Amino acid sequence: ETGVTQSPTHLIKTRGQQVTLRCSSQSGHNTVSWYQQALGQGPQFIFQYYREEENGRGNFPPRFSGLQFPNYSSELNVNALELDDSALYLCASSLAKSTDTQYFGPGTRLTVL
Amino acid sequence: GEDVEQSLFLSVREGDSSVINCTYTDSSSTYLYWYKQEPGAGLQLLTYIFSNMDMKQDQRLTVLLNKKDKHLSLRIADTQTGDSAIYFCAESYGSSNTGKLIFGQGTTLQVKP
């Protein structure tokens, strides 16, 4: 158990809809990173938040956005869903923002029809 | 560039040793990680090695790092059926102050009884 939780476990949406995924970090961890894992692939970095500010972004379009809250919870929002957004979305929390070890949650499986 | 390469599949017999290999590209990586993913689950941190180390042993796990060749390996001694999973190596990428992890595609380890 990493102490990182995510909700919901599974989600089905249709193309064009919007979705919000939630993550609760380990207490005291002020950094959260989000990753997208397509089927059969390794996780791809979406972005990282540190103390409620975005602290780095991967090659994802602006329709992927995030929020981090003072209570160690965070959200990943995806607008205008596309079929290729179907994936496992993982959040990871860490104590510091650069090289500290990241602890992953169980993920949210998003299916876009 | 950002690239981490792993072989896709490894099959061993129970009780044998397993060796999973990985090559990476960023010579400035500070830490290199091994994560385990069981079907339908998130990523479990197995072990990590600091870039100024050559070897790290943790119970049945041995990590070897050849920084000159940018080659990382994970050896699992006395492999058990419960070790069957996908194993990802990851490097902490870049000199910026973002803890972005770059993952390989994953190696599926099959342990036959």
Side-chain angles (χ1 to χ4, degrees), chain A residues 68-81:
Chain A
Q68 185 187 26
F69 304 101
N71 64 352
Y72 306 114
S73 67
S74 58
E75 292 178 354
L76 164 65
N77 298 289
V78 188
N79 293 323
L81 284 166

Side-chain angles (χ1 to χ4, degrees), chain A residues 31-96:
Chain A
T31 304
V32 65
S33 304
W34 285 90
Y35 293 81
Q36 179 195 66
Q37 186 180 18
L39 202 60
Q41 303 294 318
Q44 299 285 319
F45 176 76
I46 303 174
F47 44 56
Q48 183 184 81
Y49 277 77
Y50 171 69
R51 292 185 175 175
E52 302 160 50
E53 299 281 334
E54 188 178 291
N55 181 53
R57 189 177 186 93
N59 294 326
F60 282 82
R63 59 190 185 84
F64 285 78
S65 63
L67 286 171
Q68 185 187 26
F69 304 101
N71 64 352
Y72 306 114
S73 67
S74 58
E75 292 178 354
L76 164 65
N77 298 289
V78 188
N79 293 323
L81 284 166
E82 301 176 0
L83 297 180
D84 284 349
D85 296 333
S86 294
L88 181 68
Y89 287 85
L90 297 161
C91 75
S93 77
S94 53
L95 193 58

